[in-house]
Amino acid sequence: MAYRRGGPLIINSKCFTLASHMTFHAVWPVAYLVDFILYRISAKGRWKLQDLRKQKQKAIIVSNHTTPLDPILMCSTIYPASMYHTLLEETMCTPMLGTLIQLFGGMAVPSGRNGKERFLEGIRQALARRPFIHIYPEGECYIQNQEVNKFHQGAFLASIELNIPIVPVATVFTEPKTISGWKSVRPRATVYVLDPIYPDKFTSAREFAEFTRQTIQSEINRRGGTNAYNKGHMERIEGIND
């Protein structure tokens, strides 16, 4: 059964945990292969997250949101471990699809009067079970975009409240290589894990969010990210996340 508004954001039952583990390890390799065929993806700086895990340090991962398969990109930074990912509540409420996403590690961003409190509690529960949770501060997907949009403050408020670091991850699109005169119509995607940023350096979540956005943008610029393949804002799918 799919997630319902007002329902638990993280399911803790042993049966669901086992099903989630089996689903993740069955689906992720296939999805990664699709992503690799599309974008020749690779991940750099994985050791930074591995170091945090060795230190038993929890963290919130944030990134620019550039493809519908971003959770696959993010999981490539810690595989074979898994993480939670936030997404629109409307998507989580979709029959069958919502259940599959929840099994894969999806956590709805709750709406309504108590949305902020439930969101923070959901993050607490998620981090009690897995080392990381991935949040998209842009709030929407901008296909192959390299100009990072303004960040919402939710992830940064949670970082401050829980006193845990934010780990920025930059998805950088570069021109594909020409092979024997043939060139892909899609850019190559490389995921760069950047240094953790700790909340005690900032006086507000707004300042924290903007600093992190600029950090990701600077990495994209430094790595030669191209905006030539930008397809703009991904339209919401009718009947799923509209």
Side-chain angles (χ1 to χ4, degrees):
M1 181 180 294
Y3 164 85
R4 293 182 178 180
R5 285 183 175 83
L9 300 178
I10 302 296
I11 299 176
N12 294 318
S13 76
K14 292 182 180 180
C15 288
F16 189 89
T17 299
L18 177 61
S20 178
H21 178 82
M22 294 173 64
T23 300
F24 174 77
H25 288 286
V27 171
W28 189 88
V30 177
Y32 181 85
L33 179 60
V34 171
D35 237 358
F36 183 81
I37 291 171
L38 290 174
Y39 294 111
R40 296 296 189 272
I41 63 173
S42 60
K44 308 293 184 182
R46 285 167 45 99
W47 61 269
K48 296 175 183 178
L49 292 173
Q50 292 169 355
D51 280 355
L52 287 175
R53 290 187 66 201
K54 289 176 182 177
Q55 298 165 17
K56 297 183 179 180
Q57 170 72 70
K58 306 291 186 176
I60 297 171
I61 296 173
V62 302
S63 69
N64 49 325
H65 195 1
T66 56
T67 80
L69 292 177
D70 273 352
I72 309 303
L73 292 175
M74 294 306 110
C75 283
S76 70
T77 63
I78 64 166
Y79 191 80
S82 60
M83 67 176 80
Y84 284 99
H85 307 266
T86 61
L87 68 159
L88 293 171
E89 189 174 50
E90 292 85 350
T91 304
M92 289 292 294
C93 290
T94 307
M96 296 182 66
L97 176 62
T99 301
L100 178 61
I101 292 172
Q102 202 165 26
L103 284 167
F104 195 77
M107 188 192 94
V109 177
S111 57
R113 186 173 57 183
N114 299 322
K116 290 183 179 179
E117 292 79 5
R118 293 188 63 225
F119 182 60
L120 180 58
E121 182 56 30
I123 292 175
R124 283 196 181 98
Q125 292 178 21
L127 292 176
R129 302 179 64 81
R130 299 179 186 178
F132 308 116
I133 183 168
H134 175 225
I135 298 175
Y136 305 102
E138 288 175 290
E140 299 280 354
C141 182
Y142 299 87
I143 303 295
Q144 296 165 187
N145 177 43
Q146 296 288 265
E147 298 292 337
V148 185
N149 291 277
K150 182 179 179 180
F151 278 0
H152 295 288
Q153 298 177 36
F156 307 93
L157 287 167
S159 172
I160 293 168
E161 179 70 22
L162 301 177
N163 193 30
I164 58 175
I166 291 283
V167 179
V169 175
T171 301
V172 180
F173 293 98
T174 52
E175 291 284 350
K177 294 181 180 179
T178 301
I179 303 174
S180 301
W182 177 84
K183 185 177 180 180
S184 172
V185 296
R186 297 183 180 88
R188 182 183 183 120
T190 306
V191 177
Y192 293 93
V193 180
L194 309 181
D195 293 334
I197 305 174
Y198 290 84
D200 57 1
K201 297 180 179 180
F202 304 95
T203 58
S204 69
R206 179 176 298 178
E207 179 189 7
F208 193 0
E210 178 56 20
F211 178 86
T212 305
R213 188 198 68 80
Q214 291 179 9
T215 298
I216 293 175
Q217 185 66 68
S218 295
E219 186 70 11
I220 292 171
N221 297 343
R222 187 170 77 88
R223 299 289 182 177
T226 175
N227 213 35
Y229 297 86
N230 181 6
K231 294 183 178 180
H233 176 247
M234 187 180 86
E235 296 297 327
R236 297 192 178 186
I237 303 171
E238 186 176 354
I240 295 180
N241 55 14
D242 56 342

Coordinates of all heavy atoms in Angstrom, one line a residue, residues 7 25 42-43 48-50 71 76 84 86-87 90 138 142 151-152 188 191 200 207 214 233 241:
G7 N 0.5 9.6 7.2 CA 1.0 8.3 7.6 C 2.5 8.4 8.1 O 3.1 9.5 7.9
H25 N 18.7 -3.8 -3.6 CA 19.8 -4.6 -4.2 C 19.4 -5.2 -5.5 O 20.2 -5.6 -6.3 CB 20.4 -5.6 -3.2 CG 21.2 -4.9 -2.1 ND1 22.4 -4.4 -2.4 CD2 20.9 -4.7 -0.8 CE1 22.9 -3.8 -1.2 NE2 22.0 -4.0 -0.3
S42 N 29.9 8.6 -13.4 CA 31.0 8.2 -12.4 C 30.9 9.1 -11.2 O 30.3 10.2 -11.2 CB 32.4 8.3 -13.1 OG 32.6 9.7 -13.4
A43 N 31.4 8.6 -10.1 CA 31.4 9.3 -8.8 C 32.8 9.5 -8.3 O 33.6 8.6 -8.3 CB 30.6 8.5 -7.8
K48 N 35.1 10.5 1.1 CA 34.6 11.5 2.1 C 33.4 11.0 2.9 O 33.3 11.2 4.1 CB 34.3 12.8 1.5 CG 35.5 13.5 0.8 CD 35.2 14.7 0.1 CE 36.4 15.3 -0.6 NZ 36.1 16.5 -1.4
L49 N 32.5 10.3 2.2 CA 31.3 9.7 2.9 C 31.8 8.5 3.6 O 31.2 8.2 4.7 CB 30.3 9.4 1.8 CG 29.6 10.6 1.2 CD1 28.6 10.2 0.1 CD2 28.8 11.4 2.2
Q50 N 32.7 7.7 3.1 CA 33.2 6.5 3.8 C 33.9 6.9 5.1 O 33.7 6.2 6.1 CB 34.2 5.8 2.9 CG 33.5 5.2 1.6 CD 34.5 4.6 0.6 OE1 35.8 4.8 0.8 NE2 34.1 4.0 -0.4
P71 N 18.4 9.8 -7.5 CA 18.7 8.9 -6.4 C 19.7 7.8 -6.8 O 20.5 7.3 -5.9 CB 17.3 8.3 -6.1 CG 16.3 9.3 -6.5 CD 16.9 9.9 -7.8
S76 N 25.3 5.9 -5.9 CA 26.6 5.4 -6.4 C 27.7 5.9 -5.5 O 28.8 5.4 -5.6 CB 26.8 5.9 -7.9 OG 26.9 7.3 -7.9
Y84 N 18.4 7.2 2.5 CA 17.0 7.7 2.3 C 17.1 8.9 1.3 O 18.1 9.6 1.2 CB 16.3 8.1 3.6 CG 15.9 6.9 4.4 CD1 16.6 6.4 5.5 CD2 14.7 6.2 4.1 CE1 16.2 5.3 6.2 CE2 14.3 5.1 4.8 CZ 15.0 4.7 5.9 OH 14.6 3.6 6.6
T86 N 14.5 12.2 -0.1 CA 13.2 12.9 0.0 C 12.6 13.1 -1.4 O 13.3 13.2 -2.4 CB 13.3 14.2 0.7 OG1 14.2 15.1 0.0 CG2 13.9 14.0 2.1
L87 N 11.3 13.2 -1.4 CA 10.6 13.5 -2.7 C 9.2 14.0 -2.4 O 8.7 14.0 -1.2 CB 10.5 12.3 -3.6 CG 9.6 11.1 -3.1 CD1 9.2 10.2 -4.3 CD2 10.4 10.2 -2.1
E90 N 3.1 14.1 -3.2 CA 2.1 13.6 -4.2 C 2.6 12.4 -4.9 O 1.8 11.5 -5.2 CB 1.9 14.8 -5.2 CG 1.2 16.0 -4.7 CD 2.1 17.0 -4.0 OE1 3.3 16.6 -3.8 OE2 1.7 18.1 -3.7
E138 N 16.6 22.4 -4.2 CA 16.0 23.2 -5.2 C 14.5 22.9 -5.2 O 13.7 23.7 -5.7 CB 16.6 22.8 -6.6 CG 18.0 23.4 -6.8 CD 18.6 23.0 -8.1 OE1 18.9 21.8 -8.2 OE2 18.7 23.8 -9.0
Y142 N 15.5 20.1 -12.6 CA 15.8 20.9 -13.8 C 16.8 20.1 -14.7 O 18.0 20.0 -14.3 CB 16.4 22.2 -13.4 CG 15.5 23.1 -12.5 CD1 15.4 22.9 -11.1 CD2 14.6 24.0 -13.1 CE1 14.6 23.6 -10.3 CE2 13.7 24.7 -12.3 CZ 13.7 24.5 -10.9 OH 12.8 25.2 -10.2
F151 N 18.1 27.6 -3.1 CA 17.9 26.4 -2.2 C 16.8 26.8 -1.2 O 16.8 27.9 -0.6 CB 19.1 26.0 -1.4 CG 20.1 25.2 -2.2 CD1 19.8 24.8 -3.5 CD2 21.3 24.7 -1.6 CE1 20.7 24.0 -4.2 CE2 22.1 23.9 -2.3 CZ 21.8 23.5 -3.7
H152 N 15.9 25.9 -0.9 CA 15.0 26.0 0.2 C 15.8 25.7 1.5 O 16.8 25.0 1.4 CB 13.8 25.0 0.1 CG 12.9 25.3 -1.1 ND1 12.1 26.3 -1.2 CD2 12.8 24.6 -2.3 CE1 11.4 26.4 -2.3 NE2 11.8 25.4 -3.0
R188 N 28.1 13.9 -20.5 CA 28.6 12.9 -19.5 C 28.4 13.5 -18.2 O 28.6 14.7 -17.9 CB 30.1 12.7 -19.7 CG 30.7 11.7 -18.8 CD 32.2 11.5 -19.0 NE 32.7 10.5 -18.1 CZ 33.3 9.4 -18.5 NH1 33.5 9.2 -19.8 NH2 33.8 8.5 -17.6
V191 N 29.6 12.8 -10.7 CA 29.1 13.3 -9.4 C 30.3 13.5 -8.5 O 31.1 12.6 -8.3 CB 28.2 12.2 -8.8 CG1 27.8 12.6 -7.4 CG2 27.0 12.0 -9.6
D200 N 27.7 25.0 12.6 CA 28.1 26.0 13.6 C 28.8 27.2 13.0 O 29.1 28.2 13.7 CB 29.0 25.4 14.7 CG 30.2 24.7 14.1 OD1 30.4 24.7 12.9 OD2 31.0 24.1 14.9
E207 N 21.6 31.7 5.4 CA 23.0 31.9 5.0 C 23.7 30.6 4.7 O 24.4 30.5 3.8 CB 23.7 32.6 6.2 CG 25.2 32.8 6.0 CD 25.9 33.2 7.3 OE1 25.3 33.2 8.4 OE2 27.1 33.6 7.2
Q214 N 26.3 28.1 -3.4 CA 27.4 28.7 -4.1 C 28.6 27.7 -4.2 O 29.3 27.6 -5.1 CB 27.8 29.9 -3.4 CG 26.9 31.1 -3.5 CD 27.3 32.3 -2.8 OE1 28.5 32.4 -2.3 NE2 26.4 33.3 -2.7
H233 N 13.0 23.1 -16.6 CA 12.2 22.5 -15.5 C 11.5 21.2 -16.0 O 10.8 21.3 -17.0 CB 11.3 23.5 -15.0 CG 10.3 23.0 -13.9 ND1 9.0 22.9 -14.1 CD2 10.6 22.5 -12.6 CE1 8.4 22.4 -13.0 NE2 9.4 22.2 -12.1
N241 N 2.6 13.4 -9.8 CA 3.1 14.4 -9.0 C 2.7 15.8 -9.4 O 3.4 16.8 -9.2 CB 4.7 14.4 -8.9 CG 5.3 14.4 -10.3 OD1 4.6 14.8 -11.3 ND2 6.6 14.1 -10.4

